[in-house]
């Protein structure tokens, strides 16, 4: 639907990511590198999934169920591996901070790194699943698929891209917090929510299913955001008694 | 508020990743707009001397033809680089600089003009020939001045380097597909050999530059400006250099030759220091690094990566396990280069003038030194990347854009990942490193994986509106 439509779809999918990027990440080069690194890792996991399942697609509709389960499993395993890498990086950064006499990493820094990592995953997801479909949207027409005659394919893809971007970003925050503090509930929450959100997208296979599928994806994203928000709120309000840390919290919360 | 560690680490890498990304983005936009399915008219260039690829040739023929083209191209590049080394050795520096200026002017005026005309045709921009000619000549002249001769705002110089890289890369994407891919792989292999092998032309060039303590005249993108300084005498033996810049790698000439500026003996000691520093603290190392030395050494060979620069930090932590700080302050870092594209520029020009007697002199028009590729650390803590690296990365991404945007994203991530890995290796190994191999190999692998496997997978899922 010409340039305006195409840009609109791209902004729906990536607008919040862009604002998150500009406000939180752009000022810190390390976070930009984190975004790129985690995007690359997500891409590698996606390629691994694709290699695994390429032979079976395009196939029968029921193949999507085992596909989703295995793929979400692979991605959660990659998230754990990413956590191990993060521990090494954190150790390295703390050592470096000691060497150049700067403060060690505090809670807000770690949350920012978690946001950056999640954003990397989310942006990679949106780009590959949504943005790469949008090229025809810049042309003169639009496109509807059979099972969803209510909304153009591009709009649905944009909304789902948005939902999953938020889901990935904030589930990384939850995951980092849970793995650091060994909180089992949150550790389970992340993969379960990821799996639920993915399985709920299968509703889109039914005729007219996208009417339900899109809101459900967005609801999952909002729930994840709420949980992550609560965690961050708890951490920053009670976390550190030192004045310096509180100052940092207040100044960084005024982003 | 005190700045934490996150604000400081990684600045140099971003300083080099941004222009590479911008160059790639511009090339993708150009390719997507002007030649979304490859160039319809094949351009006769040196890269296609032997085999002109036709769409209906068989697989084997295309592969063999592409291979021959690539080998010929690499041989020509190697010859031209040896000529460059020869010119540098015999101190024809003026000649080199004029050459490079001329080649930059040619790229900006000629190729820039062609691209501009194509864009004008595509967008139906109303502009008359006189205005266009004036604008083009001015643009090209300012470009040449910005890149070589005058002091200009660094943004302008950087912008012009990116534009030159973009134009040459766009020209290269006009090559046929098989030839392009094989050529990329061949250039990556050539890069490794030329930089790392002892007899390689670029290795020799870099060593000459270190030995003479001179600047190689070349098109190098530097992420931060080079601050010129004059040697005022023997560097003070006391402590305290400029506190803001901790020099990680500096030329330790002071302790041995207190009165010597850019002397050969000084640089010999530098070389000695390089080799002795690995693991053996010597007595030289007691002096702290000195600010004036940073500027002297020539724009490429020294880096001060800033207080907590990422690269600095990697060497700190790596060197922390080794002997002493001296280790860290000791080395000179030669700059890597892999000289090249110019011959391709020349090749393109050859083609344009329908292959009439371009003698060898003219065929160096590009001047292989003018687009020296390479990766190294510059004076002011900036990372330097040769323009040829920009060009080949952009060629890869531009060629990926001719298939689909998904391959573009995958190749972009692969190239940036490779560049990051190369920078880390640079910090760890502290010697001249080729910037092409890791990125190009990752890029090629990711391109074929995405095109053959990922694309059908993702499109199938996305059109069923299943996402994960």
């Amino acid at each position: 639907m010409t340039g305006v439509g195409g840009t609109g779809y791209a902004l729906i999918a990536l607008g919040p990511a862009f604002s998150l990027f500009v406000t939180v990440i752009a000022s810190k080069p390390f976070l930009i590198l984190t975004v790129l690194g985690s995007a690359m890792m997500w891409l590698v996991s996606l390629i691994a999934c694709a290699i695994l399942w390429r032979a079976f697609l395009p196939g029968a509709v029921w193949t999507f169920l085992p596909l989703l389960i295995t793929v979400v499993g692979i991605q959660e395993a990659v998230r754990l591996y990413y956590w191990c890498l993060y521990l090494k990086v954190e150790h390295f950064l703390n050592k470096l901070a000691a060497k150049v006499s700067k403060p060690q990493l505090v809670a807000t820094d770690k949350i920012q790194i978690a946001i950056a990592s999640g954003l990397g995953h989310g942006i990679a997801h949106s780009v590959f699943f949504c943005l790469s479909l949008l090229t025809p949207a810049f042309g003169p027409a639009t496109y509807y698929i059979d099972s969803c005659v209510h909304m153009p394919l591009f709009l649905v893809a944009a909304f789902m891209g948005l939902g999953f971007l938020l889901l990935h970003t904030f589930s990384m925050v939850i995951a980092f917090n849970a793995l650091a503090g060994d909180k089992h509930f949150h550790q389970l929450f992340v993969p379960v929510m990821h799996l639920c959100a993915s399985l709920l997208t299968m509703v889109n296979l039914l005729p007219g299913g996208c009417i339900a599928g899109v809101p459900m994806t967005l609801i999952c994203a909002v729930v994840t955001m709420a949980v992550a928000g609560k965690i961050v709120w708890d951490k920053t309000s009670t976390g550190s008694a030192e004045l310096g840390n509180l100052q940092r919290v207040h100044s960084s919360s005024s982003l | 508020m005190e700045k934490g560690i996150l604000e400081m680490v990684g600045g140099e890498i971003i300083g080099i990743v941004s222009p590479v990304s911008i160059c790639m983005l511009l090339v993708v936009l150009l390719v997507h707009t002007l030649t979304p399915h490859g160039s319809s008219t094949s351009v006769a260039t040196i890269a296609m001397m032997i085999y002109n690829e036709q769409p209906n040739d068989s697989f084997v023929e295309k592969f063999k033809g592409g291979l021959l083209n690539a080998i010929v191209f690499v041989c020509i590049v190697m010859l031209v680089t040896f000529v460059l080394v020869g010119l540098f050795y015999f101190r024809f520096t003026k000649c080199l600089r004029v050459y490079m200026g001329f080649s930059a002017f040619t790229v900006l005026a000629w190729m820039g003009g062609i691209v501009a005309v194509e864009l004008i045709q595509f967008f139906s921009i109303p502009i008359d020939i006189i205005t266009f000619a004036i604008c083009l000549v001015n643009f090209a002249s300012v470009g040449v001045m910005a890149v070589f001769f005058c002091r200009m705002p660094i943004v302008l110089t950087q912008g012009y380097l990116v534009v030159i890289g973009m134009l040459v890369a766009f020209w290269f994407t006009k090559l046929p597909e098989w030839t392009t891919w094989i050529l990329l792989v061949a250039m990556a292999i050539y890069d490794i050999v030329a930089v790392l092998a002892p007899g390689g032309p670029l290795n020799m060039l870099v060593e000459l530059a270190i030995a003479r303590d001179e600047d190689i005249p070349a098109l190098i993108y530097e992420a931060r400006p080079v601050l010129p300084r004059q040697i005022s005498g023997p560097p003070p033996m006391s402590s305290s250099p400029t506190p803001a810049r901790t020099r990680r790698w500096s030329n330790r000439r002071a302790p041995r030759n207190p009165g010597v500026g850019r002397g050969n003996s000084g640089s010999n000691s530098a070389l000695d220091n390089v080799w002795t520093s690995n693991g053996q603290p010597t007595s030289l190392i007691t002096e702290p690094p000195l600010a004036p030395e940073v500027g002297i050494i020539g724009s490429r060979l020294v880096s001060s990566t800033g207080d907590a620069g990422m690269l600095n930090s990697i060497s700190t932590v790596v060197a922390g396990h080794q002997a002493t700080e001296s280790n860290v302050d000791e080395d000179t870092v030669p700059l890597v280069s892999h000289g090249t594209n110019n011959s391709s520029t020349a090749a393109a020009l050859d083609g344009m003038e329908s292959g009439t007697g371009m003698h060898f002199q003219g065929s160096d028009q590009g001047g292989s030194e003018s687009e020296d590729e390479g990766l190294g650390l510059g004076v002011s803590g900036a990372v330097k990347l040769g323009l040829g690296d920009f060009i080949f990365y952009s060629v890869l991404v531009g060629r990926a854009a001719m298939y689909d945007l998904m391959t573009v994203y995958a190749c972009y991530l692969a190239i940036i990942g490779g560049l990051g890995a190369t920078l880390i290796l640079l910090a760890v190994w502290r010697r001249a490193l080729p910037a092409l191999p890791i990125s190009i190999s990752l890029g090629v692998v990711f391109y074929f994986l995405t095109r053959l496997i990922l694309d059908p997978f993702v499109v199938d899922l996305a059109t069923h509106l299943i996402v994960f």
Side-chain angles (χ1 to χ4, degrees):
Chain A
M1 293 210 317
T2 73
V4 174
T7 319
Y9 295 133
L11 281 176
I12 289 177
L14 285 178
F18 183 66
S19 17
L20 252 182
F21 188 87
V22 168
T23 51
V24 176
I25 295 185
S27 52
K28 301 192 166 100
F30 183 75
L31 293 179
I32 302 179
L33 293 173
T34 311
V35 169
L36 288 172
S38 75
M40 174 130 187
M41 184 160 282
W42 193 88
L43 174 64
V44 169
S45 72
L46 185 66
I47 291 183
C49 302
I51 293 177
L52 200 61
W53 279 95
R54 169 75 178 98
F56 299 93
L57 289 175
V61 167
W62 61 266
T63 52
F64 286 131
L65 186 62
L67 184 149
L68 280 179
I69 296 179
T70 49
V71 160
V72 170
I74 290 178
Q75 291 204 325
E76 293 303 319
V78 165
R79 196 193 299 272
L80 285 176
Y81 176 65
Y82 187 83
W83 163 256
C84 295
L85 282 182
Y86 164 72
L87 285 177
K88 291 193 195 137
V89 168
E90 186 183 338
H91 179 65
F92 164 83
L93 280 177
N94 279 333
K95 228 165 55 160
L96 176 66
K99 227 172 182 56
V100 295
S101 21
K102 286 269 180 267
Q104 305 270 302
L105 287 179
V106 293
T108 45
D109 286 336
K110 296 180 189 174
I111 293 173
Q112 282 177 343
I113 297 180
I115 290 182
S117 318
L119 200 63
H121 274 33
I123 290 182
H125 177 278
S126 266
V127 161
F128 279 90
F129 276 92
C130 173
L131 219 58
S132 49
L133 292 181
L134 280 187
T135 318
F138 286 90
T142 188
Y143 182 71
Y144 291 81
I145 57 173
D146 292 336
S147 59
C148 188
V149 293
H150 308 277
M151 293 189 274
L153 170 69
F154 308 118
L155 188 64
V156 181
F159 275 122
M160 312 245 307
L162 173 68
F164 269 86
L165 184 145
L166 295 172
L167 184 86
H168 280 304
T169 309
F170 295 107
S171 55
M172 193 63 100
V173 175
I174 301 175
F176 271 34
N177 180 264
L179 288 166
D182 210 21
K183 297 178 193 146
H184 294 288
F185 172 68
H186 284 141
Q187 279 177 4
L188 282 178
F189 174 81
V190 168
V192 165
M193 180 55 98
H194 191 185
L195 191 63
C196 280
S198 310
L199 290 175
L200 283 174
T201 62
M202 284 185 68
V203 164
N204 292 324
L205 291 169
L206 303 169
C210 54
I211 300 266
V214 169
M216 282 202 277
T217 312
L218 291 172
I219 289 176
C220 290
V222 167
V223 167
T224 316
M225 268 204 313
V227 172
K230 179 156 190 319
I231 289 180
V232 171
W233 186 262
D234 289 339
K235 219 171 168 70
T236 53
S237 58
T238 64
S240 38
E242 296 168 15
L243 200 58
N245 282 332
L246 279 176
Q247 278 178 344
R248 293 199 64 201
V249 162
H250 287 306
S251 7
S252 52
S253 64
S254 63
L255 290 168
Chain B
M1 172 180 102
E2 197 184 351
K3 285 193 166 221
I5 194 75
L6 283 187
E7 271 95 347
M8 297 193 168
V9 178
E12 306 90 28
I13 300 187
I14 294 299
I16 208 72
V17 162
S18 312
V20 171
S21 310
I22 292 174
C23 188
M24 288 201 263
L25 176 71
L26 289 174
V27 171
V28 166
L29 284 177
L30 272 182
V31 165
H32 199 58
T33 319
L34 294 177
T35 56
H37 300 293
S39 175
S40 47
T41 56
S42 61
V43 189
T45 64
I46 283 187
M48 285 174 40
M49 244 162 52
I50 298 215
Y51 167 69
N52 198 352
E53 186 172 319
Q54 303 298 329
N56 36 9
D57 287 341
S58 72
F59 168 80
V60 177
E61 265 184 40
K62 283 190 194 177
F63 185 75
K64 279 197 307 196
L67 199 59
L68 279 174
N69 278 341
I71 291 177
V72 165
F73 187 78
V74 167
C75 288
I76 292 181
V77 163
M78 195 157 53
L79 276 174
V80 173
T81 317
F82 273 115
V83 166
L84 159 69
V85 173
L87 284 175
F88 190 63
Y89 183 72
F90 291 113
R91 297 178 191 269
F92 288 133
T93 320
K94 226 14 190 215
C95 172
L96 289 176
R97 295 194 80 86
V98 166
Y99 222 25
M100 285 190 329
F102 182 59
S103 72
F105 184 82
T106 309
V107 168
L108 284 172
W110 192 296
M111 294 185 185
I114 293 175
V115 169
V117 166
E118 289 187 13
L119 283 173
I120 288 174
Q121 280 175 340
F122 186 82
F123 289 113
S124 306
I125 303 174
I127 185 170
D128 61 293
I129 186 105
I130 299 177
T131 314
F132 178 73
I134 293 177
C135 290
L136 189 66
V137 168
N138 277 325
F139 175 74
S141 315
V142 173
V144 171
M145 290 199 299
V147 169
F148 290 117
F149 304 120
C150 301
R151 269 207 204 293
M152 287 207 182
I154 192 72
V155 176
L156 204 57
T157 308
Q158 290 173 343
Y160 267 107
L161 283 170
V162 169
V163 166
I164 292 176
M166 169 193 89
L167 289 172
V168 178
F170 180 68
W171 196 260
F172 262 104
T173 58
K174 291 179 189 271
L175 292 175
E177 184 161 12
W178 283 83
T179 309
T180 313
W181 291 109
I182 301 177
L183 187 69
L184 282 169
V185 174
M187 286 308 295
I189 297 176
Y190 166 73
D191 202 18
I192 301 181
V193 170
V195 172
L196 295 177
L202 297 170
N203 206 356
M204 290 182 348
L205 191 66
V206 163
E207 280 176 13
L208 269 179
I210 297 177
R212 287 194 205 160
D213 203 31
E214 273 175 24
D215 200 5
I216 306 176
L219 281 177
I220 307 273
Y221 182 97
E222 184 172 2
R224 277 189 231 162
V226 174
L227 304 172
R229 288 176 206 261
Q230 300 302 319
I231 308 175
S232 46
M237 298 307 214
S238 60
S239 60
S240 208
T242 47
R245 295 165 28 153
T246 323
R247 269 184 327 281
R248 305 275 337 128
W249 294 333
S250 61
N251 192 346
R252 273 312 201 173
R253 284 176 296 140
R256 285 208 191 156
N257 301 293
V260 173
R262 322 168 75 124
N264 279 333
S265 51
S267 30
N268 283 339
S269 69
L271 279 177
D272 290 342
N273 290 340
V274 170
W275 303 123
T276 56
S277 67
N278 293 331
Q280 297 173 16
T282 68
S283 59
L284 304 179
I285 307 174
T286 49
E287 283 84 13
L290 300 161
E293 287 190 22
V294 172
I296 297 170
I297 295 178
S299 54
R300 303 176 165 190
L301 304 180
V302 165
S303 104
S304 60
T305 53
D307 237 340
M310 171 81 100
L311 299 172
N312 185 11
S313 55
I314 293 175
S315 359
T316 311
V317 176
V318 163
H321 302 293
Q322 295 174 13
T324 67
E325 283 182 14
S326 57
N327 217 352
V328 172
D329 294 334
E330 240 341 67
D331 305 308
T332 51
V333 180
L335 189 60
V336 180
S337 35
H338 110 58
T340 68
N341 287 342
N342 284 318
S343 40
S344 56
T345 317
L349 296 169
D350 276 341
M352 290 306 296
E353 294 175 349
S354 53
T356 53
M358 288 286 260
H359 49 74
F360 193 54
Q361 192 67 28
S363 68
D364 291 327
Q365 239 174 359
S368 52
E369 73 277 9
S370 61
E371 286 149 16
D372 239 326
E373 293 85 35
L375 198 59
L377 293 166
V379 175
S380 44
V383 180
K384 288 179 158 194
L385 188 62
L387 210 60
D389 295 322
F390 277 74
I391 290 170
F392 281 113
Y393 295 160
S394 306
V395 169
L396 198 152
V397 172
R399 181 47 73 172
M402 290 185 186
Y403 180 71
D404 190 24
L405 284 184
M406 194 180 296
T407 44
V408 169
Y409 305 130
C411 290
Y412 169 77
L413 282 175
I415 289 178
I416 298 293
L419 187 60
T422 312
L423 286 171
I424 292 179
L425 279 181
L426 184 70
V428 169
W429 279 348
R430 304 189 204 170
R431 60 154 295 166
L433 284 182
L436 279 189
I438 303 180
S439 290
I440 297 281
S441 44
L442 276 179
V444 171
V445 163
F446 271 59
Y447 172 79
F448 285 108
L449 275 179
T450 306
R451 175 170 176 165
L452 298 172
I453 297 181
L454 191 65
D455 197 42
F457 178 74
V458 169
V459 170
D460 190 45
L461 283 179
T463 46
H464 283 103
L465 295 177
I466 307 270
V467 287
F468 50 86

